[in-house]
Amino acid sequence: MSSSLLREVRKARGMTQKEVAIAIGVPQSTYCLIEHGKRPADLKTVQKICDLFQVEPDHLFVPKRFAVRKVK
């Protein structure tokens, strides 16, 4: 997830973190951690955020890349 992108979208909508948190039904501290990339959001929360901002999940949330070991 791009935390700066999430913050930019929130600010572009003229919302505070507290307003977003109330709208999606989580504590402000939880939303703050999500926005700063320090806590992953569950699928339900991702959908609520995307519905609120009227964007597709892949515009705000990008799955983390992971290394795959080659099998010999």
Side-chain angles (χ1 to χ4, degrees):
M1 156 183 24
S2 174
S3 60
S4 61
L5 179 57
L6 185 55
R7 182 176 56 241
E8 287 176 26
V9 171
R10 174 181 57 79
K11 287 186 174 200
R13 301 296 194 280
M15 298 182 78
T16 65
Q17 287 183 346
K18 184 174 184 176
E19 290 170 330
V20 174
I22 290 169
I24 64 172
V26 300
Q28 181 180 352
S29 59
T30 299
Y31 177 76
C32 181
L33 291 171
I34 292 168
E35 185 174 288
H36 289 281
K38 296 182 178 182
R39 177 180 178 156
D42 61 38
L43 187 56
K44 185 176 177 182
T45 302
V46 168
Q47 192 58 55
K48 287 180 180 182
I49 292 169
C50 291
D51 289 347
L52 177 65
F53 293 143
Q54 299 178 338
V55 297
E56 294 296 319
D58 58 345
H59 288 119
L60 290 179
F61 298 91
V62 179
K64 290 184 178 181
R65 295 182 181 174
F66 56 93
V68 178
R69 287 191 285 163
K70 292 182 180 180
V71 178
K72 293 182 180 183

